[in-house]
């Protein structure tokens, strides 16, 4: 019976894989975290009035520290799938991509990357909820890219209820100011 010999490259790959697995098992570095959180925001306006407030430029109306720098389209006039912009704060520059946009059905989604730290996916669905009322269902998925990004994931988990309350108050306040300004 002929003997079967393992090619030396396969043996080397298996040995390397075994070493990689062993180093991961004995690593003292914390595992990278991932979290998903959803919340609902109850709003005092129709979906067609509310939805634009979730676009890159529209968010300025209710989030005073929100200052996107539009890359494409440069003027940010009409958000669409493929729109790109950046935001900056004490943590650095975050790169944003609109991954889904359907104004007629009240849907927008984003992918945001804080290089070397975290990737965040955000989905927002706005639906009618009674006369002159809407509900926005918001889902955040966040994954650390490094140990330094773990605290961003933890913060999402710890602050989901606070985000919902803040968004609801801030957006409803912006809608109220709109109505007051339209009345004058």
């Amino acid at each position: 019976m002929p003997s079967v010999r393992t090619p030396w490259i396969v043996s080397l790959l298996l040995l390397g894989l075994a070493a990689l697995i062993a180093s991961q098992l004995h690593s003292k570095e914390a595992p990278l975290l991932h979290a998903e959180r959803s919340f609902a925001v109850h709003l005092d306006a129709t979906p067609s009035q509310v939805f634009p407030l979730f676009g890159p430029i529209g968010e300025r109306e209710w989030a005073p520290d929100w200052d996107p720098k539009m890359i494409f389209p440069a003027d940010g006039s009409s958000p669409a799938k493929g729109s790109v912009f950046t935001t900056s704060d004490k943590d650095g520059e975050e790169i944003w991509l609109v991954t889904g946009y359907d104004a007629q059905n009240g849907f927008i989604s984003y992918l945001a990357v804080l290089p070397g730290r975290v990737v965040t996916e955000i989905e927002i669905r706005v639906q009618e909820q009674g006369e002159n009322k809407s509900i926005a269902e918001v889902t955040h998925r966040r994954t650390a890219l490094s140990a330094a990004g773990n605290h961003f994931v933890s913060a999402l988990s710890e602050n989901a209820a606070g985000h919902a309350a803040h968004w609801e108050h801030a957006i409803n306040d912006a809608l109220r100011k709109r109505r007051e300004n339209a009345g004058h």
Side-chain angles (χ1 to χ4, degrees):
M1 185 155 121
S3 68
V4 177
R5 295 184 50 170
T6 305
W8 69 271
I9 189 74
V10 173
S11 296
L12 186 61
L13 286 172
L14 289 173
L15 183 62
L17 182 58
L20 178 63
I21 291 170
S23 72
Q24 291 297 315
L25 291 175
H26 296 299
S27 173
K28 292 184 171 106
E29 192 172 306
L32 300 181
L33 301 179
H34 173 84
E36 179 174 328
R37 298 292 179 265
S38 296
F39 57 85
V41 180
H42 300 273
L43 302 166
D44 299 328
T46 65
S48 63
Q49 295 166 320
V50 167
F51 183 73
L53 297 176
F54 292 108
I57 300 301
E59 189 167 331
R60 286 180 175 159
E61 197 171 331
W62 60 273
D65 295 333
W66 180 254
D67 188 24
K69 305 292 186 252
M70 296 304 300
I71 295 170
F72 177 78
D75 65 358
S77 59
S78 58
K81 185 175 180 177
S83 296
V84 177
F85 60 98
T86 62
T87 58
S88 296
D89 64 16
K90 65 180 175 30
D91 298 312
E93 184 177 67
E94 196 163 20
I95 303 157
W96 293 74
L97 171 69
V98 176
T99 56
Y101 187 84
D102 182 353
Q104 188 171 355
N105 291 305
F107 175 77
I108 191 166
S109 61
Y110 296 96
L111 183 70
V113 178
L114 185 56
R117 296 195 182 169
V118 69
V119 173
T120 304
E121 179 186 12
I122 303 169
E123 292 180 350
I124 302 167
R125 297 178 190 283
V126 179
Q127 299 175 325
E128 186 174 344
Q129 190 180 37
E131 190 174 332
N132 292 320
K133 301 282 184 187
S134 300
I135 186 168
E137 296 171 353
V138 182
T139 299
H140 283 84
R141 292 178 196 91
R142 187 168 286 166
T143 304
L145 298 173
S146 64
N150 280 344
H151 86 274
F152 293 96
V153 178
S154 296
L156 173 67
S157 298
E158 295 164 5
N159 299 326
H163 280 103
H166 167 72
W167 283 33
E168 190 166 303
H169 174 76
I171 296 170
N172 279 322
D173 192 48
L175 291 165
R176 180 188 52 76
K177 287 176 184 173
R178 253 194 207 171
R179 286 190 295 272
E180 288 173 358
N181 289 337
H184 292 119

